[in-house]
Amino acid sequence: NGADWGRKGYGLCAGDGQFSQQSPIDLPLRSVEPTGLRTVFLTYPPLDTTFSLYNNGHSLAFTLPEAYKAGFGFVPEEADLQGENAAVYRAWQVSFHAPSEHTLAGRRLPLEIQIVNQRVT
């Protein structure tokens, strides 16, 4: 569950530290105070093409087309998303879980959407 990710260069999700647990997690209701060290920029435009929905044995899911440019990045400024030192993650797959896999303040919800992102830089 992420123990070897540091050796693979997966950055923020690497290792056995406080923030390395991937799934399931309990999301708190309180917001986190910004540190000023990083900014996350999100871009998830509407998907205007057809796709195939499938049951992967765990959830209903679909894989996003390669041409769909969506995801997020950790950079100082939005313009740096194109830089060679940017930590940019492309949206790869979307899945739906019922009931939710994760909890919100200890409460399991009826439906959850997960967007799986893959590092591209």
Side-chain angles (χ1 to χ4, degrees):
N1 193 13
D4 64 340
W5 290 4
R7 292 187 298 279
K8 294 180 179 182
Y10 292 163
L12 297 175
C13 297
D16 298 319
Q18 175 184 359
F19 303 110
S20 64
Q21 183 176 345
Q22 292 297 301
S23 192
I25 59 172
D26 182 35
L27 300 166
L29 285 177
R30 65 178 169 74
S31 62
V32 176
E33 291 297 320
T35 63
L37 299 176
R38 298 187 177 118
T39 301
V40 62
F41 291 94
L42 307 169
T43 180
Y44 292 94
L47 180 61
D48 60 0
T49 185
T50 60
F51 54 88
S52 296
L53 188 65
Y54 52 88
N55 184 336
N56 65 13
H58 177 66
S59 63
L60 293 179
F62 62 93
T63 301
L64 293 159
E66 188 72 32
Y68 179 66
K69 301 301 181 198
F72 67 93
F74 293 100
V75 288
E77 301 290 333
E78 188 172 11
D80 297 327
L81 287 170
Q82 304 298 320
E84 57 184 68
N85 293 324
V88 177
Y89 298 80
R90 177 187 168 273
W92 173 70
Q93 184 185 62
V94 178
S95 61
F96 303 90
H97 299 265
S100 64
E101 180 178 334
H102 304 287
T103 54
L104 180 62
R107 184 171 164 238
R108 192 164 308 280
L109 300 172
L111 182 68
E112 173 180 323
I113 182 173
Q114 290 182 357
I115 303 173
V116 178
N117 294 273
Q118 185 175 40
R119 187 165 184 170
V120 294
T121 62

